[in-house]
Amino acid sequence: MRSLRISVTDRCNLRCQYCMPEEEYVWLNRHELLTYEEIAEIADIFTQLGVEKIRFTGGEPLLRRDLDILVRLLAQNDRIRDLALTTNGILLASSAERLRRAGLHRLTVSLDTLRPDRFRALTRKNVHAQVLEGIEVARRVGFEKIKLNTVVVRGFNDDELVDLIAFGKEMGAEVRFIEYMDVGGATRWSMEQVVSRSEMLSRLERQLGPIEPLNESEWAPADRYMLPDGTVFGIISSITQPFCCTCDRARLTSDGIWFLCLYAQEGVDLKRLLRAGASREHIAAAIMSAWRQRTDRGAEQRKALREQRTPLPAEDLRKNPHLEMHTRGG
Ligand code: SAM
Ligand code: SF4
């Protein structure tokens, strides 16, 4: 366990079709949310157990008020080598500088299309320009090596791979194409809409020339590649090439449930332990014991379903919102 993703809110100001396509959602009770002090305490225990990478996510993390306060708390922890945030970028222009000053190391911004009309159709909001402005401001205030996450959906944005790489190059940002996943929340998912890593590579190769794989850390979720002009990009292929056997990620929801796998049905209630007054040692022991017994292979098991692979029904998600990607943190 090296990496912890902390969902700071399940709320979102977009409704991306691949994540939150429904009209109505059941939200976590605001009173159940961990305070910043509680998040910092839990994060600290995780770092004592070996976690060195922490990412804030959600929902949309920038909707949580004064997030820079939490960033500052975690930035004081020397065991954290990489402190990052994934955002849809809408509120980035107004918060990038504060986040930077608070000690955030890195940013990933989700950007699925360069076309405002498509953005609106995908997200139900007409705020594409705000996202682009957010990326600009983030660069200006000193965030280097910004990453751009693009979920590739057949028939929606699969004709923009080359343009997105060019945009990333212009912005000094690295694009990471993500295979469209059947995570909780993706109730409109179908295998036909998934563009596989190999298809992405052959399309890019046809237009841009030979692509060289960069054989790096076996732990990284994204496989990285280099184009003939030196531009580097990544592909996360959890559908066609799941990486369960090297997965080192844990996920904490904003109400303190720890999930050991993105696809897990059950989590461990760390908030209950914390609020019951359990000692740090006790909580650390509970985490260690659960992680050692971990048998999760969510993405591989989904792959093995083949034709029977269907998204989780919206009804199940309403009954148990912890199954939602926007709750457990993407
Ligand atoms: N709201 C923030 C954002 O969109 O960047 C952070 C949370 S979002 C759940 C984190 C990442 O998960 C985003 O990059 C998003 O594109 C990705 N994601 C959401 N649903 C997905 C799906 N069905 N398949 C693949 N990636 C998905
Ligand atoms: Fe889109 Fe992120 Fe919101 Fe999901 S959580 S709807 S991916 S912006």
Side-chain angles (χ1 to χ4, degrees), residues 125-177:
K125 281 269 186 74
N126 198 10
V127 289
H128 190 250
Q130 271 167 250
V131 178
L132 299 190
E133 191 198 349
I135 297 170
E136 275 284 354
V137 172
R139 288 176 68 202
R140 222 180 302 136
V141 302
F143 281 106
E144 288 165 11
K145 297 188 189 152
I146 294 175
K147 292 214 167 95
L148 300 177
N149 271 2
T150 301
V151 180
V152 182
V153 182
R154 189 180 306 285
F156 167 68
N157 62 350
D158 53 332
D159 56 351
E160 289 192 62
L161 305 187
V162 170
D163 294 347
L164 282 158
I165 285 188
F167 176 80
K169 192 173 164 191
E170 199 182 307
M171 290 289 133
E174 186 174 313
V175 180
R176 302 192 321 168
F177 297 116

Side-chain angles (χ1 to χ4, degrees), residues 13-131:
N13 43 7
L14 289 185
R15 289 291 179 271
C16 302
Q17 278 295 311
Y18 52 69
C19 179
M20 300 184 75
E22 305 298 319
E23 291 302 323
E24 303 279 339
Y25 283 93
V26 176
W27 305 108
L28 299 181
N29 186 336
R30 278 176 196 274
H31 304 294
E32 295 293 322
L33 297 193
L34 295 173
T35 63
Y36 285 165
E37 287 71 22
E38 287 173 328
I39 294 176
E41 174 77 16
I42 293 178
D44 199 58
I45 299 173
F46 272 98
T47 62
Q48 278 189 338
L49 297 175
V51 164
E52 46 187 22
K53 294 166 75 175
I54 290 194
R55 177 173 295 273
F56 301 109
T57 179
E60 173 46 41
L62 298 184
L63 284 180
R64 181 103 184 227
R65 196 179 305 155
D66 299 328
L67 188 68
D68 53 304
I69 294 177
L70 177 62
V71 171
R72 187 160 277 125
L73 283 175
L74 267 62
Q76 291 162 6
N77 182 336
D78 293 337
R79 290 185 290 263
I80 302 175
R81 202 171 40 80
D82 187 22
L83 190 60
L85 174 125
T86 302
T87 172
N88 62 27
I90 300 180
L91 300 172
L92 194 53
S94 54
S95 53
E97 187 161 15
R98 263 185 299 143
L99 293 168
R100 182 83 191 143
R101 268 198 263 120
L104 187 71
H105 302 160
R106 287 195 307 121
L107 269 178
T108 298
V109 184
S110 297
L111 183 70
D112 300 310
T113 176
L114 295 173
R115 293 178 38 177
D117 57 329
R118 283 189 177 175
F119 184 92
R120 187 179 182 170
L122 175 78
T123 66
R124 295 195 223 154
K125 281 269 186 74
N126 198 10
V127 289
H128 190 250
Q130 271 167 250
V131 178

